[in-house]
Amino acid sequence: MNYEAVIGLEVHVQLKTSSKIFCSCVNKFGSSPNTQTCPVCLGMPGVLPVLNRRVVEYALRMGMATNCKIPKYSQLARKHYFYPDLPKGYQISQYELPLVEHGWVDIDVEGKTRRIGITRIHIEDDAGKLVHDESRPVSYVDLNRTGTPLIEIVSEPDIRSPEEAAAYVRKIRQLVRYLGISDGNMEEGSLRCDANISLRPEGQKEFGTKSELKNMNSFRNVQKALEYEIRRQTALLLDGQEIVQETRLWDAGKGVTHSMRGKEEAHDYRYFPDPDLVPIEISDQWMEEIRADLPELPDEKRRRFMEQYGLPEYDASVLTVSRETGDYFEEAVRLFDNPKSVSNWIMVELMKLLKQTDVSIEQCNVTPAYLAEILALVDKGTISAQMGKEVLQDCFGTGKSPASIVEEKGLSQVSDESELEAVVAKVMEANPKEVELYRGGKKKVLSFLMGQVMRETRGKANPKKVNEIFRKMLEG
Ligand code: ADP
Ligand code: ZN
Ligand code: MG
């Protein structure tokens, strides 16, 4: 029996607004515990929350970027549960009337595009953090994070494999970064993902019973947790057992999921509209303002790069992975008008260095102007392509300008005719046998003779010129 995986993801994204969602505390990561709190985010009795307008704006940006509908009215709702990191005893979220609903994103997996439905996007507040002391039987509560604005993006169960799930989360991260609404950093928890997964026999329409996986803090872990869960559920089903609907925790160290709790139902949360917060009404004018302010999004930018610069789809995808990468490329092309060549150098040489050093493209020493300068030097034949790579590496490490590196290292290619003729003559004199062979028709020895010239000039001879001179002197 073959089973098909059915996956739906719930992604929480921390918004990088300057203040929290319902109070004026600063929204910042990394301060000492409990220094960024006030009676509102501490959930003191009698306080009144006030919704941060910027949070709504950010959520609407995401809604527009994911092709969603934006209802005129929406509402905040209390979702009740007890936990020591939740001082109010409820989370302020949205239930019946979310801010955003019914959209989609396209993802690319193995050269195929798949459309994943977005059920809804709502806003809510984050909880605090428990800090456990390994050496003592105590836990501390840090409420700095309480009231950090979140959007929760709920997908339709349209995802069919762990690879697609990872690609979907990458797409969400790419979008929130393009929109400038979040760092989208999974390792640091500003983007968190819960994965719902069930299996069904191939060809069956109805969904099976799902489990919900939590605690994956990287794309790799999302994928691995789902792969594990597919194996676990497959084994149970083949054995004739039933899947229990439950929440399971991913243990990255052991590479397994553990049952955490039985699944709670919506009624367990006793949702109701928050009486302290008025309904949100979105005016047409506000919508227009937000829409007018949207940046060019990755899919659009990729299409434009293919059309405007004649790039293959692969190049266009790599170069639009972030806004910064796209901007870098365009600036370099503005200064050196050969898009494919600029693309190759960025994708191969520059990205290799960025990866090795974990530096971001907008912060690296090789500015677009420097890259363009290197490409111009190679193009003019001042340096060879190989030397260009060395100059790039040097510039990346030291921040010195390409011209000064070429100068300092004496890298300039020798293209001077008479200088090269002298070297060629010398090499011919030293290798009479090879010259004989060449003239007798064994043209292959030319590469040996060329190699000798390169050795004499320590790689600096312009190969095209040397080749011409040899042909002239051997054949003429
Ligand atoms: P719940 O009532 O458990 O919150 P929802 O219907 O709200 O479930 O869906 C939560 C998430 O689970 C969504 O991302 C949805 O796509 C996904 N989902 C729903 N049913 C299934 C299923 N049978 N298998 C896999 N994912 C599912
Ligand atoms: Zn506060
Ligand atoms: Mg639900």
Side-chain angles (χ1 to χ4, degrees), residues 20 23-25 36-38 40-41:
K20 291 185 178 181
C23 62
S24 53
C25 288
Q36 279 159 16
T37 58
C38 73
V40 173
C41 54

CSV table of all heavy atoms in Angstrom, one decimal, residues 20 23-25 36-38 40-41, ligand 2:
chain,number,residue,atom,x,y,z
A,20,LYS,N,5.7,47.2,21.0
A,20,LYS,CA,4.9,46.0,21.1
A,20,LYS,C,3.5,46.1,20.6
A,20,LYS,O,3.1,47.2,20.2
A,20,LYS,CB,4.8,45.5,22.6
A,20,LYS,CG,6.2,45.0,23.1
A,20,LYS,CD,6.0,44.5,24.6
A,20,LYS,CE,7.4,44.0,25.1
A,20,LYS,NZ,7.2,43.4,26.5
A,23,CYS,N,1.0,47.8,23.8
A,23,CYS,CA,1.5,48.8,24.7
A,23,CYS,C,2.7,49.5,24.0
A,23,CYS,O,3.1,49.1,22.9
A,23,CYS,CB,2.0,48.1,26.0
A,23,CYS,SG,3.3,46.9,25.8
A,24,SER,N,3.3,50.5,24.8
A,24,SER,CA,4.4,51.2,24.1
A,24,SER,C,5.8,50.7,24.5
A,24,SER,O,6.8,51.4,24.2
A,24,SER,CB,4.3,52.7,24.4
A,24,SER,OG,4.2,52.9,25.8
A,25,CYS,N,5.9,49.5,25.1
A,25,CYS,CA,7.2,48.9,25.4
A,25,CYS,C,8.0,48.7,24.2
A,25,CYS,O,7.4,48.4,23.1
A,25,CYS,CB,7.0,47.6,26.1
A,25,CYS,SG,6.4,47.7,27.8
A,36,GLN,N,11.8,45.1,29.8
A,36,GLN,CA,10.9,45.7,28.8
A,36,GLN,C,9.5,45.3,29.0
A,36,GLN,O,8.9,44.6,28.2
A,36,GLN,CB,11.4,45.3,27.4
A,36,GLN,CG,12.6,46.2,27.0
A,36,GLN,CD,13.4,45.5,25.9
A,36,GLN,OE1,13.0,44.6,25.3
A,36,GLN,NE2,14.6,46.0,25.7
A,37,THR,N,8.9,45.7,30.1
A,37,THR,CA,7.6,45.3,30.5
A,37,THR,C,6.9,46.5,31.1
A,37,THR,O,7.5,47.5,31.5
A,37,THR,CB,7.6,44.2,31.5
A,37,THR,OG1,8.3,44.7,32.7
A,37,THR,CG2,8.2,43.0,31.0
A,38,CYS,N,5.5,46.5,31.1
A,38,CYS,CA,4.7,47.5,31.7
A,38,CYS,C,3.4,46.8,32.2
A,38,CYS,O,3.2,45.7,31.9
A,38,CYS,CB,4.4,48.6,30.6
A,38,CYS,SG,3.2,48.1,29.4
A,40,VAL,N,0.6,46.8,31.1
A,40,VAL,CA,-0.3,46.2,30.0
A,40,VAL,C,0.3,44.8,29.6
A,40,VAL,O,-0.5,43.8,29.6
A,40,VAL,CB,-0.4,47.1,28.8
A,40,VAL,CG1,-1.1,46.5,27.6
A,40,VAL,CG2,-1.1,48.4,29.2
A,41,CYS,N,1.6,44.8,29.3
A,41,CYS,CA,2.1,43.5,28.8
A,41,CYS,C,2.3,42.5,29.9
A,41,CYS,O,2.4,41.3,29.7
A,41,CYS,CB,3.3,43.6,27.9
A,41,CYS,SG,4.7,44.5,28.5
B,2,ZN,ZN,4.4,46.7,27.9
